[in-house]
């Protein structure tokens, strides 16, 4: 699979509401390197989701530019996004949901459904193809969302806290599945999370955003070799990295709180 | 199965039995409240003689034509209301005012415009249906979660695809509820119109029975209208259930 990068130059975004203007991003610049797993962490409500929606092309930046030229390649389409909530259409069965991306790419019914069924089986969902989302657990729904995104063989995959609603165990399984897929297919992933540990386990690189209006405070490399264990507790280097990121998030929060007084 | 039937019909049976008993023991005046067994004797000839079927046919034809026209106009108008903001803002007070006023009062006006004939009656039924559909469907369209629109667009869905894959299925449950409700209203309105002005139909039959003080026939016609109204709801319930099975227990 051909993999793609993207880059943001001085990207800002302001939501225009009837009463006021809300600026959520300010001068965000970073690069997404081909084949890398990039995580974005930051304080709650800092604009991480907005940044992903900009990368997906669902929003247009009010300042700066995003270079996504590589993504408009044939068959590319907009990069698929995996959302935290409302990720599945409730009126479609598991199979129809999983095959939706292929359907939008004009792939004929038998082929897309057999491909979807095959990948669903790999994600432990065989026998559930004709269920509706309300019949699934949160973890299963999230896996169907992953299957749908993976089936499109995206050169760039955008994920907005996809495991945020999962319990600890399911989340660890899902992380492993994602890491395996990423290693097998050598795609590029941009992964937004509020979980610093998750970011460290999965990523090559981590961007830390500031409070809103957000900018990139610092970026970290995660030098842990792959395949990685599901947890890094006991690895002093990683514990130190986690502490650094937490300090950065805490520091940003505290200085703002201080300034407010 | 028997248990289910019992659960549904015990009150109906109890009412019929007590009515029969009270009427036979003359607690109720049998002239005004003839016992159900006597009604049954009237119902037979009414059906075999063809006059009940004839009246039902007229009523259902009016209902069905008005209903179908109302559904089509209602769906088109809701689409217009939902896609053009100034059509919505302008039509909201008009629709609400029309919905709040009793439709039957518009019958004289409809007759002035269309003449004393079936088109005036059918237009009124269509109007009533249309109002319910417009209110329910434009409400349903407004209620579609924008997250699903984003989701579809994110996978490269065109505008037409978003309509087909998101708006249509998301609105179907409320659309079928609107169908069921408005069919019931259309049927009742048709009978009311026939009471006032029509040479045939169930409403006319009820009124004629009253005028000639044919009490058994009066009751039979009223019960017949109720049964037909009930039966006509069933296909809509089946459709509603079929298109909303994805909602699970909440449906």
């Amino acid at each position: 699979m051909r993999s793609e990068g993207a880059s943001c130059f001085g990207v800002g975004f302001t939501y225009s509401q009837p009463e006021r203007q809300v600026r959520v991003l300010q001068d965000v610049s970073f690069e997404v390197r081909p084949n890398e797993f990039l995580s974005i962490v930051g304080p709650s409500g800092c604009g991480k989701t907005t940044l992903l929606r900009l990368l997906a092309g669902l929003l247009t930046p009010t300042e700066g530019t995003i270079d996504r030229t590589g993504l408009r390649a044939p068959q590319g389409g907009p990069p698929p996004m995996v959302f935290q909530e409302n990720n599945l259409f409730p009126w479609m069965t598991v199979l129809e949901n999983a095959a939706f991306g292929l359907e939008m790419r004009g792939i004929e019914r038998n082929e897309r459904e057999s491909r979807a069924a095959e990948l669903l089986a790999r994600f432990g969902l065989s026998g559930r193809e004709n269920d509706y989302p309300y019949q699934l657990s949160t973890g299963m729904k999230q896996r169907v969302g992953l299957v749908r995104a993976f089936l499109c063989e995206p050169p760039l995959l955008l994920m907005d806290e996809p495991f945020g609603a999962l319990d600890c165990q399911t989340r660890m399984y899902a992380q492993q599945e994602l890491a395996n897929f990423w290693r097998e297919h050598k795609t590029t992933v941009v992964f937004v999370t509020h979980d610093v540990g998750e970011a460290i386990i999965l990523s090559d690189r981590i961007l830390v955003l500031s409070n809103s209006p957000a900018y990139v405070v610092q970026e970290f490399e995660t030098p842990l070799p792959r395949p990685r264990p599901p947890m890094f507790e006991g690895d002093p280097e990683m514990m130190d990295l986690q502490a650094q990121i937490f300090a950065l998030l805490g520091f940003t929060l505290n200085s703002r709180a201080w300034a407010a007084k | 199965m028997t248990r289910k039937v019992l659960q549904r019909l015990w009150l109906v049976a109890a009412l019929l039995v007590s009515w029969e008993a009270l009427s036979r023991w003359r607690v109720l005046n049998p002239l005004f409240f003839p016992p159900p067994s006597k009604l049954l004797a009237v119902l037979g000839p009414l059906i075999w003689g063809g006059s009940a079927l004839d009246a039902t046919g007229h009523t259902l034809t009016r209902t069905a034509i008005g209903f179908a026209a109302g559904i089509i106009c209602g769906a088109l108008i809701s689409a217009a209301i939902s896609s053009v903001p100034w059509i919505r803002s302008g039509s909201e007070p008009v629709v609400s005012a029309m919905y709040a006023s009793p439709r039957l009062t518009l019958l004289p006006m409809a007759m002035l415009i269309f003449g004393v004939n079936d088109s005036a009656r059918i237009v009124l039924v269509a109007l009533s249906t249309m109002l319910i559909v417009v209110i329910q469907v434009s409400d349903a369209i407004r209620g579609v979660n924008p997250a699903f629109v984003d989701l579809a667009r994110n996978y490269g869905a065109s505008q037409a695809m978003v309509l087909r894959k998101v708006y249509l299925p998301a609105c179907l449950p409320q659309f079928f509820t609107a169908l069921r409700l408005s069919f019931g209203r259309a049927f009742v309105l048709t009978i009311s119109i026939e009471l006032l002005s029509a040479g045939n139909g169930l409403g006319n039959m009820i009124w004629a029975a009253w005028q000639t003080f044919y009490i058994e026939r009066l009751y039979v016609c009223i019960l017949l209208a109720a049964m037909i109204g009930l039966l006509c709801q069933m296909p809509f319930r089946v459709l509603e259930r079929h298109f909303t099975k994805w909602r699970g227990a909440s449906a």
Side-chain angles (χ1 to χ4, degrees), chain A residues 53 56 58 78-81 83 86-92 100-101 103-105 132 134 148-149 152, chain B residues 145 147-158 161 164-167 169-170 245-249:
Chain A
R53 291 164 64 88
L58 290 169
M81 203 159 152
F83 300 89
N86 297 321
N87 202 20
L88 299 185
F89 298 110
W91 46 83
M92 291 184 195
F100 183 75
E103 186 181 357
M104 291 301 111
R105 277 159 177 69
Y132 285 96
Y134 81 90
R148 181 182 51 206
C152 296
Chain B
N145 190 337
F148 294 125
V149 179
D150 271 358
L151 186 59
R153 276 180 47 207
N154 183 228
Y155 278 94
S158 60
M161 268 298 176
R164 227 184 85 198
K165 293 285 173 181
V166 179
Y167 279 100
K245 53 179 189 234
W246 55 266
R247 285 204 302 196

Side-chain angles (χ1 to χ4, degrees), chain A residues 18-231:
Chain A
E19 300 290 308
R20 64 211 175 106
Q21 305 259 302
V22 184
R23 191 174 209 201
V24 288
L25 297 175
Q26 181 178 26
D27 197 20
V28 177
S29 298
F30 66 92
E31 190 194 352
V32 185
R33 299 172 193 154
N35 297 335
E36 85 169 329
F37 197 118
L38 177 72
S39 284
I40 300 174
V41 298
S44 166
C46 77
K48 300 183 290 261
T49 299
T50 307
L51 189 56
L52 266 200
R53 291 164 64 88
L54 286 165
L55 280 172
L58 290 169
L59 295 172
T60 324
T62 46
E63 300 153 53
T65 52
I66 295 177
D67 180 15
R68 302 189 303 125
T69 40
L71 305 172
R72 293 204 198 91
Q75 251 235 3
M81 203 159 152
V82 179
F83 300 89
Q84 180 183 0
E85 280 175 336
N86 297 321
N87 202 20
L88 299 185
F89 298 110
W91 46 83
M92 291 184 195
T93 62
V94 166
L95 192 61
E96 285 164 344
N97 263 298
F100 183 75
L102 296 179
E103 186 181 357
M104 291 301 111
R105 277 159 177 69
I107 287 164
E108 179 261 338
R109 187 187 197 100
N110 283 334
E111 193 198 332
R112 65 172 189 251
E113 292 198 338
S114 70
R115 277 169 66 185
E118 196 187 315
L119 198 55
L120 281 171
R122 259 189 58 193
F123 277 66
L125 286 160
S126 49
R128 309 302 296 261
E129 291 89 350
N130 295 320
D131 285 0
Y132 285 96
Y134 81 90
Q135 292 165 298
L136 303 184
S137 70
T138 323
M140 289 175 175
K141 281 186 216 169
Q142 223 41 39
R143 275 182 275 163
V144 177
L146 286 181
V147 168
R148 181 182 51 206
F150 289 171
L151 277 173
C152 296
E153 310 201 324
L156 174 64
L157 183 59
L158 304 173
M159 310 184 86
D160 184 13
E161 300 200 11
F163 308 141
L166 304 189
D167 63 86
C168 184
Q169 229 178 44
T170 318
R171 173 190 284 239
M172 268 160 58
Y173 282 122
Q175 287 168 357
Q176 292 289 306
E177 281 163 357
L178 175 61
N180 289 340
F181 176 84
W182 173 78
R183 276 198 309 129
E184 278 172 34
H185 292 262
K186 272 296 160 203
T187 181
T188 310
V189 176
V190 179
F191 189 90
V192 159
T193 179
H194 59 258
D195 184 334
V196 176
E198 181 174 72
I200 292 174
I201 276 297
L202 290 171
S203 323
D204 295 320
R205 219 149 50 92
I206 301 168
L207 298 182
V208 182
L209 295 187
S210 71
N211 260 328
S212 178
Y215 55 93
V216 180
V217 181
Q218 202 172 332
E219 56 175 85
F220 295 93
E221 303 265 345
T222 316
L224 205 61
R226 295 182 188 267
R228 296 175 177 175
M231 281 184 292

